[in-house]
Amino acid sequence: MKRFCKKIVIFVFIFFLLSQAIGLLAPYHWGNPWFSSKIRTLDERNKSDLPDAYFFGSSRVYRQIDPSVFDSVYSNLSNQKISSFNLGAQATFAPQVYHLYEHFLDSELSANAKEKYAFVELTHVQNLGNEVMHQERTTYWINFNELRFISSYVANHPGMSYQESIKYYIKYGISFIENMFNLGHFGQSYLSPGYYKAEYLGPSSNGYVPLDYELNTTTDSTLIHHYTERREALADSSSLLDVRAQTTQNHFKSISDELNEVHLKRILKLIEDSKEKNIQLIFLLSPRNTRQSLVNLYHAIPESHKIQLADPENFPELYELQYSFDAGHLNSDGAKIYSTLLAQKFYEKKTDQHVSN
């Protein structure tokens, strides 16, 4: 029995080493097909053709920020040409988006000496849902450092119940083990011919794909059914937008110092790391995706490194039905307004910095 146990330990150890070796050969973004497809395209460009600004985040970046609109509006306001690219991806929230951005900083894409800008969506560090557990896109990024961050985040999160914190530890712990041993990894990326798709780059090849465009062009019956249901749900209950707007407005009227210090510390570290690469990092608070703790966190970020377009009192058009695809996302008309507002806010921030300097 003792000999058998020894063999098991040796086997597990060898399997672990092989898993780590295989994992080191894969690019840092391999498990996120949307992001990975876009990075691969940028890696093929000449350095002189790389963008000046990049957008990182979830579908609220991927589906709502049109680089062509952003570039045009900013260039007209500033008389300075700018080129941006949308690196947003489905369900890419904190801390996965931080993991991707940190590796981006270490890549050749950020090595260009000229001044660059990065916009990272500010999101809550939410727990992993049952529907995404054991999937490649959920586990590929959860290494020891990310597990340590999650553990510290949960331990220092104000108001989180004991039961909720245990769920965080269990789900992220399981995903960490699956990542360390590459359990269930590389199946889709190696076996599925459509894992990395040119369609993720969008009709203008700038990384932006509005939801209504995808609904009108996809031949995937599952996606058509899913998107149609989401759009019809909003049409059947348009009051959902009013509820979101009112809830968000209450958050902005109830700002306090209660926030997650661990989360803030990582944000400040990202800002400093970006400065070393000559990149101005700006955290973006998106509409229809706020909670009190997130609004509190936003207000603790240094002024020169944040932009918010979430407050319905100042941006009521971003909560209107005519500009909505579903309760959580804008349609292409709404995205044009959103991208325009973002460019204007960015121009104002650059102008204010120039005056203060």
Side-chain angles (χ1 to χ4, degrees), residues 131-328:
E131 69 280 1
V132 298
M133 287 292 290
H134 318 301
Q135 295 184 17
E136 293 177 348
R137 67 188 182 100
T138 301
T139 62
Y140 80 96
W141 59 273
I142 305 179
N143 55 30
F144 179 76
N145 287 334
E146 296 300 345
L147 183 66
R148 183 172 57 182
F149 169 76
I150 289 292
S151 299
S152 184
Y153 172 90
V154 171
N156 291 275
H157 192 73
M160 182 177 291
S161 68
Y162 175 77
Q163 291 80 3
E164 187 178 1
S165 64
I166 292 298
K167 291 178 181 178
Y168 269 79
Y169 291 134
I170 291 175
K171 289 191 173 183
Y172 277 98
I174 291 173
S175 296
F176 167 74
I177 294 172
E178 291 176 345
N179 185 26
M180 289 298 98
F181 287 92
N182 280 313
L183 300 177
H185 278 190
F186 308 116
Q188 292 185 44
S189 57
Y190 286 151
L191 300 177
S192 174
Y195 191 68
Y196 302 111
K197 297 181 179 179
E199 288 87 345
Y200 296 151
L201 297 174
S204 300
S205 298
N206 58 14
Y208 161 66
V209 184
L211 281 166
D212 42 341
Y213 170 84
E214 182 163 349
L215 174 59
N216 293 331
T217 57
T218 185
T219 57
D220 187 325
S221 59
T222 302
L223 279 180
I224 293 173
H225 176 73
H226 176 64
Y227 290 151
T228 301
E229 274 194 334
R230 285 165 54 176
R231 194 162 63 172
E232 289 177 349
L234 178 60
D236 292 340
S237 183
S238 59
S239 62
L240 289 172
L241 291 178
D242 296 330
V243 172
R244 286 207 178 204
Q246 186 59 56
T247 301
T248 301
Q249 194 166 337
N250 292 340
H251 292 158
F252 278 93
K253 291 180 177 180
S254 306
I255 298 170
S256 72
D257 294 330
E258 188 177 83
L259 53 85
N260 192 298
E261 296 291 346
V262 172
H263 197 169
L264 178 61
K265 183 178 179 181
R266 184 160 187 181
I267 286 171
L268 297 177
K269 178 68 163 53
L270 287 172
I271 291 173
E272 292 305 312
D273 290 345
S274 300
K275 287 180 180 178
E276 293 180 5
K277 295 286 187 175
N278 206 26
I279 295 175
Q280 181 178 355
L281 175 58
I282 297 174
F283 284 89
L284 176 62
L285 189 60
S286 305
R288 311 187 187 193
N289 187 37
T290 61
R291 57 181 70 195
Q292 191 63 63
S293 59
L294 199 61
V295 174
N296 293 349
L297 178 65
Y298 171 83
H299 279 268
I301 298 173
E303 192 62 39
S304 59
H305 296 281
K306 63 183 180 182
I307 290 175
Q308 71 89 1
L309 295 169
D311 188 349
E313 187 170 333
N314 295 318
F315 311 104
E317 61 270 47
L318 299 181
Y319 291 84
E320 292 182 10
L321 180 62
Q322 62 180 317
Y323 300 126
S324 302
F325 179 86
D326 59 22

Side-chain angles (χ1 to χ4, degrees), residues 12-31:
V12 171
F13 181 70
I14 294 175
F15 182 77
F16 174 76
L17 292 180
L18 289 174
S19 298
Q20 291 299 298
I22 293 172
L24 290 173
L25 296 175
Y28 70 88
H29 47 72
W30 74 267

